[in-house]
């Protein structure tokens, strides 16, 4: 049992409190990782604000990188001292989804109320998203980590745990984009910028960014957008179609806004697909003219975490980063200490595109 500093949520919508909590030693199949960096994702904020419910008190944080400091029995292929990316993708390896090569939708549940974290008096402390990485250390299942090169920046590596794999994966794995196809990305935020650079890497012809903010559209161009459309008008799809000269083969909705889902099919070419990535608050609904999908062969596909297989996809993304073909450092907008986490969250809520990263050393 170790005592670590963690940012704890005691009540939805209230500031997190940085305090000392208990972290038990890793058991079979688990690893302990001392974190160097953890990025703040909008999912952490949605949870902390209560948008998706969940157990309290809780420790959020799920985009992390650090070094392995302890190994439980049967942790295979990992060594103490290894630098790793720590993700929330906990996969049993044997359920129907894992067996079908879809570990992001592993069917074996995880009970974060009885994970490695407890309060100092021994009472329950929920390990949110099987991770709990707003903390100096985590204990996670070995399926959740991927080793990275010694030369990799830990701050950049932390981004590979969620936003980058979700955006790039949505294009490469979910949309299965072919070179020369046309793409619309709705939302040029943390996931959207990565969908844009995923489309560039996949060889898209036109990549149209759609956002409410001219500044974000400008940033999107730096990640590979060929065109930008302000979504403030009534019919932004008309401008997008004008830029492409046709409808889109893939429309990636990267924001959790029901209106964006309402509008998404309007951007499509015949045969095109909407890839649903952003997650609106629980209970939010969208409506569509159902007949259109069959009439012109369109579809809508949900993609969790970019349908990623982390031990396959993170290593190639690391290589592209090291070649200068995948931008990570450019995604970081601020660096903060764990004690500054509420300021960092407030800054993220201002809606700017970049990622705030908590650094531990
Ligand atoms: Zn995330
Ligand atoms: Zn599974």
């Amino acid at each position: 049992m170790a005592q670590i500093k963690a940012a704890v949520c005691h009540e939805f919508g209230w500031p997190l409190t940085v305090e000392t909590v208990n972290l038990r030693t890793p058991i079979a199949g688990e690893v302990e990782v001392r974190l160097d960096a953890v990025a703040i994702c909008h999912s952490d904020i949605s949870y902390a604000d209560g948008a998706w419910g969940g157990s309290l008190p809780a420790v959020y944080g799920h985009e992390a990188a650090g070094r392995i400091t302890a190994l439980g029995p049967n942790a295979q292929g990992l060594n103490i001292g290894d630098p790793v990316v720590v993700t929330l993708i906990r996969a049993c390896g044997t359920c129907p989804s894992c067996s079908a090569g879809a570990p992001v939708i592993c069917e074996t549940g995880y009970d974060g109320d009885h994970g490695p974290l407890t309060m100092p008096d021994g009472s329950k402390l929920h390990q949110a998203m099987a991770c709990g990485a707003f903390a100096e250390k985590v204990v996670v299942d070995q399926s959740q980590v991927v080793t990275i090169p010694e030369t990799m920046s830990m701050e950049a590596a932390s981004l590979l745990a969620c936003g980058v794999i979700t955006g790039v994966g949505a294009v490469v794995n979910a949309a299965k984009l072919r070179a020369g196809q046309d793409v619309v990305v709705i939302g040029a935020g943390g996931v959207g910028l990565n969908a844009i650079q995923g489309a560039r890497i996949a060889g898209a012809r036109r990549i149209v960014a759609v956002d409410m903010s001219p500044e974000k559209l400008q940033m999107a161009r730096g990640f590979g957008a060929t065109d930008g459309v302000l979504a403030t008008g009534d019919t932004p799809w008309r401008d997008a179609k004008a830029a492409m000269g046709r409808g889109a083969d893939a429309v990636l909705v990267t924001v959790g806004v029901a209106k964006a889902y309402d509008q998404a099919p309007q951007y499509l070419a015949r045969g095109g697909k909407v890839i649903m990535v952003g997650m609106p608050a629980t209970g939010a609904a969208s409506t569509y003219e159902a007949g259109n999908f069959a009439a012109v062969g369109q579809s809508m596909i949900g993609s969790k975490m970019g349908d990623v297989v982390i031990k396959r996809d993170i290593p190639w993304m690391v290589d592209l980063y090291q070649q200068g073909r995948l931008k990570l450092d450019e995604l970081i907008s601020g660096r903060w200490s764990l004690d500054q986490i509420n300021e960092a969250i407030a800054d993220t809520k201002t809606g700017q595109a970049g990622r705030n990263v908590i650094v531990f050393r």
Side-chain angles (χ1 to χ4, degrees):
M1 181 86 77
Q3 271 76 46
I4 58 162
K5 256 176 34 171
V8 180
C9 179
H10 289 276
E11 196 168 348
F12 294 134
W14 287 79
L16 307 179
T17 56
V18 177
E19 55 196 284
T20 301
V21 302
N22 297 328
L23 182 71
R24 68 152 167 69
T25 51
I27 57 174
E30 291 182 336
V31 298
E32 179 192 86
V33 181
R34 190 190 67 200
L35 299 184
D36 287 284
V38 58
I40 296 171
C41 175
H42 283 280
S43 301
D44 297 310
I45 296 175
S46 292
Y47 269 117
D49 283 345
W52 298 334
S55 186
L56 291 178
V59 178
Y60 304 113
H62 62 278
E63 293 197 25
R67 280 181 191 276
I68 293 178
T69 40
L71 294 168
N74 309 325
Q76 291 172 355
L78 298 166
N79 302 292
I80 289 174
D82 282 353
V84 290
V85 173
V86 179
T87 75
L88 72 163
I89 303 167
R90 183 185 169 104
C92 73
T94 56
C95 73
S97 291
C98 285
S99 301
V104 289
I105 48 171
C106 173
E107 293 168 35
T108 302
Y110 174 69
D111 179 7
D113 281 349
H114 298 93
L117 291 169
T118 46
M119 296 300 290
D121 65 0
S123 62
K124 182 192 85 170
L125 176 57
H126 183 72
Q127 185 193 32
M129 293 165 273
C131 221
F134 289 160
E136 294 172 311
K137 284 182 173 180
V138 294
V139 167
V140 297
D141 188 76
Q142 61 178 336
S143 63
Q144 296 174 244
V145 306
V146 179
T147 52
I148 54 174
E150 281 288 340
T151 51
M152 180 85 185
S153 145
M154 287 288 188
E155 294 167 18
S158 71
L159 305 184
L160 289 171
C162 175
V164 175
I165 54 179
T166 299
V168 176
V171 173
V172 175
N173 297 331
K176 296 187 168 60
L177 198 79
R178 203 166 38 69
Q181 290 190 311
D182 292 305
V183 178
V184 167
V185 177
I186 301 178
V191 173
L193 290 176
N194 289 300
I196 288 165
Q197 63 174 338
R200 174 175 50 72
I201 290 164
R205 185 182 69 108
R206 289 277 168 171
I207 305 168
V208 182
V210 179
D211 202 283
M212 306 292 279
S213 148
E215 292 77 29
K216 284 191 182 176
L217 292 180
Q218 190 56 41
M219 192 166 179
R221 288 183 183 271
F223 284 79
T226 60
D227 301 271
V229 168
L230 262 182
T232 47
D234 289 337
T235 55
W237 56 87
R238 290 188 201 280
D239 297 331
K241 283 181 164 173
M244 293 181 286
R246 61 190 291 270
D249 298 296
V251 175
L252 293 110
V253 183
T254 68
V255 290
V257 179
K259 186 180 174 196
Y261 278 110
D262 288 340
Q263 296 185 348
Q266 304 278 0
Y267 293 85
L268 288 176
R270 294 181 169 225
K273 310 170 204 170
V274 173
I275 313 298
M276 309 164 78
V277 182
M279 288 176 55
T282 302
S286 279
T287 50
Y288 302 99
E289 188 172 333
N292 283 353
F293 292 100
V296 290
Q298 294 171 340
S299 54
M300 298 188 76
I301 303 168
S303 173
K304 178 163 183 179
M305 302 291 303
D307 297 3
V308 74
V309 177
I310 59 172
K311 286 176 169 67
R312 175 192 70 190
D313 292 332
I314 288 181
W316 70 254
M317 291 182 196
V318 167
D319 200 357
L320 290 196
Y321 166 72
Q322 293 190 319
Q323 296 173 42
R325 295 165 65 194
L326 180 75
K327 293 175 190 281
L328 297 179
D329 300 308
E330 294 83 350
L331 290 165
I332 299 173
S333 59
R335 294 169 176 79
W336 311 74
S337 71
L338 186 62
D339 289 320
Q340 296 172 307
I341 190 161
N342 291 304
E343 294 158 68
I345 287 172
D347 187 74
T348 301
K349 281 183 175 177
T350 62
Q352 51 161 319
R355 271 291 202 259
N356 279 308
V357 182
I358 305 291
V359 292
F360 290 88
R361 270 164 285 280

